Amino acid sequence: MHGWSPDDEGAGEWGALAEYVLHYADGQTQTVPLICHRTADDWVSPSEATDVLPGLSAPPWHLNVLGVALRPVPLAKIVFRDLGTPAAPVLVAVTLEK
């Protein structure tokens, strides 16, 4: 989720606020964009992002859960990048499940 700018148009090809870059052990990468109203929304507004599920909440805030299908290759690292838009992206936790 993010804060400060609930209708941020984002940056780059997807209009993203931030992105996860998944680096696999075989050298390939996978980019997961956080897009306002789809995969991210303002954490102190009602949950409205369409491609995530609301997780924890205690009005006025909420946390979203975003599931991502991974390739069947070990992950070397995950990089979370703020794309410099007015919104302030927040990463609370990452869970990997085999």
Side-chain angles (χ1 to χ4, degrees):
M1 74 270 149
H2 64 86
W4 301 108
S5 186
D7 293 318
D8 193 321
E9 294 182 8
E13 114 182 54
W14 295 297
L17 312 169
E19 63 190 14
Y20 297 96
V21 182
L22 309 173
H23 295 261
Y24 291 93
D26 64 3
Q28 291 191 30
T29 61
Q30 176 182 352
T31 301
V32 180
L34 296 180
I35 302 167
C36 195
H37 304 294
R38 288 192 51 209
T39 52
D41 55 16
D42 188 356
W43 72 286
V44 294
S45 296
S47 179
E48 64 178 25
T50 59
D51 298 348
V52 295
L53 296 173
L56 297 174
S57 67
W61 62 266
H62 70 281
L63 301 176
N64 291 327
V65 176
L66 171 63
V68 177
L70 302 177
R71 295 179 50 235
V73 176
L75 276 172
K77 67 180 175 179
I78 301 172
V79 176
F80 179 68
R81 296 188 333 168
D82 179 337
L83 297 178
T85 71
V90 178
L91 169 61
V92 175
V94 172
T95 301
L96 296 174
E97 187 175 302
K98 195 170 189 177

